[in-house]
Each structure stands twice: as structure tokens, then as C-alpha cells.
Amino acid sequence: MWKKKSNLCIILMLISSMAVSAQVKIDFEVSFTEPQAHYAEVQMNIAGIVNNYVDVKMPVWTPGSYLVREFEKSVEEFSASAGGQNLKFEKVSKNTWRIFSSKADKIKIKYRVYAFEISVRTAFIDESHAFLSPTGIFMHPDGMINVPSTVKIIPYKTWAKVSTGLTPVEGKKFTYHAPNFDWLYDSPIEVGNQDTFEFMASGVRHEVAMYGGGNYDKEKLKIDMAKVVEQATAVYGENPNKYYLFIVHNFKRGGGGLEHLNSTTLGASRDAYADENGYKGFLSLVAHEYSHLWNVKRLRPIALGPFDYDNENYTTNLWIAEGFTSYYENKFLYRAGIYDLNEYLSEITSSLGTVVNSIGAKYQSAASSSFDAWIIGYRPNENSKNNSISYYSKGNVIGILMDLEIANATKGTKSLDDVMRAMYLQCKTLKRGYTDAEFKAMVEKISGKDFTKFWAKYVTGVDELEYAKYLGYAGINMSAENSTPNKPVTGATLQIGNRLVVTGTDRNSAAWIGGLNVNDEILALDGVTINIALATMKLKSSSFSLDAIPLVAEKNIGDELKVKIDRDGIEKDLILLLKANPNVRLKSAVNENATSAQKAVLKRWTGK
């Protein structure tokens, strides 16, 4: 009887909460009086919350970028009022402002945000434009993520355009509707004089908003970006949007991307579009972020939504969410005709080589890398390469091997495409994300094969990749040779400025075993003052390997290298016993005598 009453109370509380939320009205107004000083002025109006106090919160991280960034640190001049009277407020946590509203029905909140960090995940404002990354701009009433809101943008006097994936409010210029705060926080806003153009693909209107200029060819981009969209849509069988926005920031040197529900923000190099490699690199970024439209945003690990915007959201499945997306970016470009088969195999071989030669891959699993993204992935230090592996890199190669295993097990009738489509539909039907066990179960259902050992080796384990075996299924011959045959390596990286300083040492290398430390200053090698040794070099970068110094390069495997260092003002003499390079160079080639079974696997694997 108590349990029934308890359940009834919970239901009544939920109904009451929903009724209150339905009455709440929230709107924002964002303006820019000092863009040259990198500020946005935000006004938040709340109506319908009649309590003694109201808590408003700003997210501490942004979905898709797994690091607590403490956006609230950029908020200034916070104030609140009701009926023209100032209200008392206080901060009750790092990202929560408590407003003592005295049951006022309407509250006006004002604050300024300093925005001067160039990246796809952080807000940036200057005299030329404003990029509003919503998690660092807007706030929500505590417990009311599902409440809708409207956003009005007032561009600076020299700006004329607003680009966003939010739905325009009819009849109101630069005013947009968000059905809930998850949508708002996932809808970046570009304000300025961006160059915009459109194309249609898979029945969806796509807009591209280019900031920063560049040597891009709009007509060429329209054709090739459409090809990528169509290949991605073909895998999943449907496109979930009617409109999609690419916000592209072109800088002297740019890169990176961040996915959103119906948009993405990309970083690019403004003068790289005319270069073939640069152009294909941009399309690869387009393919990666567009693939997230399904993988991550809808086909997602169960921990990634509904989001907790106050804390880390842990999952062991970023190797699928990001790693498989990295794998598919190359596959989409090949299927779209942007890569030929040799280029595609070169990308696959390079991806395998990255993990094969990774020291950290021997110590951290893909699942662990995913879980520890919050503390390691975005916060690498000088030793990270020795104890960790990127879930992008490891997930990419797991995708390669898994795809080939499925194609081989089904005699070329199924592939990872079928798994991704089925999991997307499952998430859509269940209206929730997947668990690791559910993803594994779907792989086994599609392939008809037990993947327990595969998971133990490559997902939760750190076994060496059996790349030759898996590529062999598709008639691809793989070989490996030493990266620098008969040449010794020290395993130390250096940075030159006013001094020559050690910035990293590889685990179990000559430098590691010999006791060379990060921050040691190199004074002499084999008794030769370092200035003399460097005089014979032609440095292409301020960062380089100790092996690049001719005095070292001329030595043999097994030789000793005497190193004089300065460590915190104290001179020391070390001896490094030079070792062979542990890294290998992978090569791939299509077997001209492949069997019909191998050809069937190759066709299904590549999709061509």
C-alpha cells in the first residue's frame, strides 16, 4: 500500500512539474555593443516561475567535446530585476546563480560574456563577426531543460547576417525558436557578413556559411559536398533533417570540427582549397562531421543524452562514436569518387600504422580511452603518448577490422553499414542510446558470428592488430618494414629556442632508459658543444627529434651517445645506448590473383 501511494505521489509531482514548465516562458536577446573588445550582452527574460528564488545555470561543457571547460568563468556583470526593481542574487555553485525573486512572475536577467577563444567549441567575438557557441552564452532555469525558448539576435551595426540551425520565428527578423535547451545548446549561431550559398542533397536543403574568406570554389563545393551527403545518407536509409547548416571558419591555419543536431562548425585554412590535398582534407572533415548527424547525435551511446550539463558524462563507447566516424569519412570520400582505390587504401594503411606504432596503444584499451576522454583525451601531457591512445585512432582501426570480419563472415553479403543502420533504427525506435552489450549483440546478429574474442582483443584489450589477416579477407596484401632500417633512434624529442630543451621521451627508448628527462637542456653531445652540432643542421621546425642532429644520425645501433645536460641549474652527464627503431612502415597492395570470395568481401567492404 505504501509503495502504491509513493508511486502516486511521484506521478502527481511529475504532472505538477510538467504543468509549471508549460507555463514558463523564456526568451533571450543577444546584442553586441563592444565587439572589438570581444563581448556579447545577453538579456534573459523568464516568466511563469513563481517561487521564492530561481536558479539559473550555465553548462560547464559542450556536447561532442569531452572536457569540462568552465564556460561560466567568462560571465560578467550579472544582474536581475523584476518590475523595474533590482533583485538580490548570489552564486551557489560555480555555474549557478540564485536569484531571490520573491515570487515575482517576470524576471529580467542581464549579463555579459567575454568571448575570445578561437575554436569550433568556444564562442569568439571581434569587430568582424560573432560566433556564438550556445553552451558558453546561454543559461537555463535549473530543472527546466525541456522548456522552449526564443532567441533574438541584434547584430552589430556593420553586420547583416545571422546563420543558425534554429527555426526562424515567422515575421520576426533574426529571431529563432528552440523547442528545448538541448536544441538551443546544440545550435551554434554565426553573426556577421558571412558568405553563404546553398545546395540540395538527399532531399535536404544545405546552407554553407563561410567566414574569413578563402580561395574556395562555391560551385565545386556544392557538387562535392552533395556527393558526401548522399553517400552518408545511403548508409542509414534516411536523412533526419529538412535543413542543415555548415558554419565554416577560414583562418590562416585552421582545422577541427564539432557536430550538432542539424549543423556543424568547421575550421579550415582559407588558402588550402586550391591545393588538391588541402581540398580533399576539407571534404574529409565535411564527411566526418556530417556522419555525426547519425553516429553520435542519433545513434549514440546511452550516456550521451539526456545530458548532464553540470558534470562529466562518461561512456566507454567513444571508439564507436568518434572512431567509426573517422573510419567512415574515408569510406564516404571513396564511394563519392573523391578518392580512388589507391588513395583509400593509403588512408586505411596510414590509420593502421598510427595505431601499430603507438606506444600508448599497448597500455590503454579503446574502452578505457573513451571513458578517460575527460581527464586524458583533451588534457595530454608529455607522457600521454606512452600510456594512452586516442579513441579516434583506435576506434578507426577497430572499424576497419570489424567491417572486414563481418563481410568475410557473411561471404560479402553484409558489412558494418548494416550494423550502423540497424543500430540507428533501434535508437530511433527505443528513443534512447545503446549500451556496449547492445552494440556487440547487433554486430553478432548481422554477422552471425561470436565477437567475444574480438571485443576482448581490441575493445577492452590491448592486443596487437592482426591487420594482415583482416585485410587478407579482401585480397589486400599487407607488409611491414622498419621505418629507418639500420639507423639508431634515441626516442627523444626536442624544442629549440634560446635553449635546446627535451620535450618528450618514448617509453623503453634509449633516452627513457638513459634517464633523459623532459625539460632537460642539452649542452653537449659526445663532448661537442651543442651550438657546434646545431650549426651543421638545417632545421625545418623548432620541434624535432634528437636523431636529426647529424652527430647522432651518423652513429650505429648499439653505439653509445654521451649527453651533457643542465637540469634545474645542475649539470649532469648521461649515456644513451642507441637502439633500433621499433616503428614500422606498412604497405598495402591489391592481390591481382584474389579469389572470388576475396573479391566479394572487397566489394562489400568498400561499397564499390
Side-chain angles (χ1 to χ4, degrees):
M1 178 63 71
W2 181 88
K3 184 176 181 180
K4 288 183 179 180
K5 285 185 177 180
S6 177
N7 289 340
L8 179 59
C9 288
I10 292 172
I11 292 171
L12 291 173
M13 288 173 63
L14 287 173
I15 292 173
S16 175
S17 175
M18 291 172 64
V20 170
S21 297
Q23 297 170 4
V24 174
K25 304 296 181 185
I26 300 173
D27 64 80
F28 294 92
E29 185 179 280
V30 184
S31 58
F32 312 90
T33 59
E34 293 186 298
Q36 84 289 347
H38 321 298
Y39 279 96
E41 285 74 37
V42 183
Q43 179 174 307
M44 179 183 187
N45 299 313
I46 304 175
I49 303 180
V50 183
N51 290 328
N52 289 324
Y53 66 83
V54 176
D55 287 346
V56 292
K57 307 173 76 75
M58 177 172 274
V60 302
W61 70 288
T62 191
S65 181
Y66 307 103
L67 176 68
V68 172
R69 296 182 183 276
E70 314 290 22
F71 294 120
E72 68 281 356
K73 68 181 181 290
S74 298
V75 174
E76 301 178 14
E77 299 181 37
F78 185 96
S79 66
S81 62
Q85 299 297 313
N86 290 334
L87 296 175
K88 179 185 175 183
F89 70 89
E90 65 181 24
K91 288 194 75 172
V92 294
S93 75
K94 64 182 180 180
N95 65 321
T96 307
W97 288 257
R98 174 163 294 171
I99 302 164
F100 296 95
S101 51
S102 301
K103 297 186 177 181
D105 179 61
K106 295 181 180 179
I107 305 170
K108 180 185 295 184
I109 300 167
K110 291 184 176 182
Y111 55 92
R112 305 180 83 203
V113 178
Y114 179 76
F116 194 55
E117 182 179 349
I118 295 178
S119 82
V120 296
R121 61 194 71 86
T122 51
F124 179 88
I125 302 168
D126 67 10
E127 75 284 350
S128 65
H129 81 131
F131 172 65
L132 305 181
S133 181
T135 47
I137 298 293
F138 300 107
M139 299 183 184
H140 64 272
D142 189 20
M144 295 190 177
I145 287 293
N146 292 323
V147 173
S149 62
T150 60
V151 176
K152 180 180 180 180
I153 304 295
I154 303 176
Y156 186 60
K157 60 186 178 182
T158 58
W159 302 343
K161 293 182 179 180
V162 176
S163 300
T164 180
L166 292 170
T167 304
V169 175
E170 189 174 352
K172 295 185 178 181
K173 190 175 183 180
F174 300 147
T175 304
Y176 305 90
H177 173 75
N180 52 57
F181 277 90
D182 282 324
W183 264 102
L184 178 57
Y185 288 148
D186 216 10
S187 300
I189 304 170
E190 177 70 22
V191 190
N193 299 306
Q194 56 272 22
D195 182 20
T196 59
F197 59 91
E198 296 184 357
F199 64 90
M200 291 293 296
S202 299
V204 177
R205 181 171 69 91
H206 293 77
E207 180 180 355
V208 182
M210 289 280 195
Y211 162 78
N215 58 2
Y216 52 87
D217 181 333
K218 292 186 203 178
E219 298 307 313
K220 184 175 175 60
L221 280 174
K222 289 178 186 179
I223 293 170
D224 289 335
M225 291 174 75
K227 290 178 181 178
V228 171
V229 167
E230 287 161 359
Q231 291 302 325
T233 304
V235 169
Y236 295 96
E238 63 181 29
N239 197 302
N241 293 314
K242 296 299 180 184
Y243 169 80
Y244 189 90
L245 171 67
F246 294 93
I247 297 174
V248 185
H249 292 155
N250 293 303
F251 298 106
K252 183 178 180 180
R253 291 184 181 87
L258 187 65
E259 69 277 4
H260 300 283
L261 276 167
N262 68 341
S263 63
T264 185
T265 306
L266 309 177
S269 300
R270 66 170 62 95
D271 295 326
Y273 295 95
D275 174 76
E276 182 180 3
N277 289 333
Y279 182 68
K280 290 180 178 179
F282 175 73
L283 291 178
S284 179
L285 179 59
V286 168
H288 182 103
E289 299 305 330
Y290 201 82
S291 181
H292 277 315
L293 184 57
W294 296 272
N295 189 19
V296 171
K297 285 303 170 187
R298 291 160 178 87
L299 159 59
R300 60 175 176 78
I302 197 165
L304 298 185
F307 295 115
D308 177 354
Y309 292 102
D310 295 334
N311 302 287
E312 296 89 342
N313 292 223
Y314 291 101
T315 175
T316 56
N317 294 126
L318 292 181
W319 60 273
I320 299 172
E322 288 291 356
F324 281 19
T325 304
S326 295
Y327 170 49
Y328 269 96
E329 70 186 57
N330 294 320
K331 182 169 283 194
F332 291 154
L333 262 59
Y334 174 61
R335 291 176 177 176
I338 295 164
Y339 284 163
D340 60 26
L341 182 57
N342 287 332
E343 288 176 303
Y344 176 63
L345 289 180
S346 176
E347 293 293 333
I348 293 296
T349 304
S350 176
S351 297
L352 290 166
T354 295
V355 176
V356 168
N357 291 323
S358 168
I359 302 170
K362 300 174 177 62
Y363 296 89
Q364 186 183 46
S365 70
S368 175
S369 176
S370 299
F371 193 84
D372 287 341
W374 298 90
I375 59 173
I376 297 177
Y378 285 85
R379 291 174 174 170
N381 61 25
E382 69 279 354
N383 197 46
S384 295
K385 63 180 178 180
N386 291 317
N387 59 24
S388 61
I389 178 69
S390 165
Y391 49 81
Y392 285 85
S393 301
K394 189 62 180 290
N396 187 341
V397 300
I398 292 175
I400 295 169
L401 305 189
M402 185 181 292
D403 202 356
L404 287 163
E405 184 69 88
I406 295 169
N408 184 64
T410 61
K411 295 181 170 54
T413 62
K414 301 289 183 181
S415 73
L416 188 58
D417 289 5
D418 299 281
V419 174
M420 300 302 281
R421 185 184 305 113
M423 287 304 299
Y424 163 67
L425 293 174
Q426 175 177 303
C427 289
K428 180 180 177 180
T429 301
L430 297 178
K431 297 181 179 180
R432 64 165 176 80
Y434 61 82
T435 65
D436 185 78
E438 287 174 334
F439 196 93
K440 177 175 177 287
M442 186 62 75
V443 173
E444 293 176 335
K445 178 181 178 181
I446 297 293
S447 66
K449 183 180 178 67
D450 185 355
F451 267 73
T452 300
K453 290 183 179 179
F454 183 99
W455 238 255
K457 284 183 176 182
Y458 303 127
V459 177
T460 59
V462 293
D463 287 24
E464 292 187 8
L465 302 177
E466 298 176 277
Y467 53 85
K469 166 188 167 182
Y470 289 96
L471 271 295
Y473 292 155
I476 307 295
N477 294 331
M478 297 290 297
S479 60
E481 62 181 21
N482 191 277
S483 294
T484 55
N486 303 318
K487 292 185 178 181
V489 293
T490 60
T493 53
L494 311 175
Q495 182 80 26
I496 188 169
N498 295 328
R499 304 180 304 150
L500 187 62
V501 177
V502 178
T503 56
T505 59
D506 294 346
R507 185 189 291 268
N508 296 326
S509 66
W512 175 285
I513 295 170
L516 196 61
N517 288 355
V518 169
N519 296 327
D520 286 346
E521 179 185 357
I522 306 295
L523 301 176
L525 300 173
D526 282 347
V528 180
T529 302
I530 196 61
N531 290 336
I532 298 174
L534 284 176
T536 61
M537 293 180 61
K538 293 183 179 180
L539 295 176
K540 296 182 179 179
S541 171
S542 61
S543 180
F544 58 97
S545 169
L546 178 58
D547 314 333
I549 296 178
L551 188 151
V552 180
E554 293 168 0
K555 287 184 171 287
N556 298 313
I557 296 169
D559 286 352
E560 289 185 348
L561 176 66
K562 297 177 182 178
V563 184
K564 180 179 286 293
I565 64 166
D566 180 311
R567 182 178 295 166
D568 191 31
I570 299 174
E571 292 189 5
K572 292 179 176 288
D573 292 307
L574 304 175
I575 296 178
L576 310 187
L577 184 62
L578 300 183
K579 304 173 71 173
N581 193 343
N583 290 346
V584 297
R585 182 182 295 110
L586 300 183
K587 293 184 177 180
S588 60
V590 178
N591 184 355
E592 295 181 358
N593 299 313
T595 65
S596 57
Q598 288 174 317
K599 290 178 180 178
V601 170
L602 178 64
K603 183 176 181 179
R604 183 63 185 177
W605 175 53
T606 61
K608 290 180 69 174

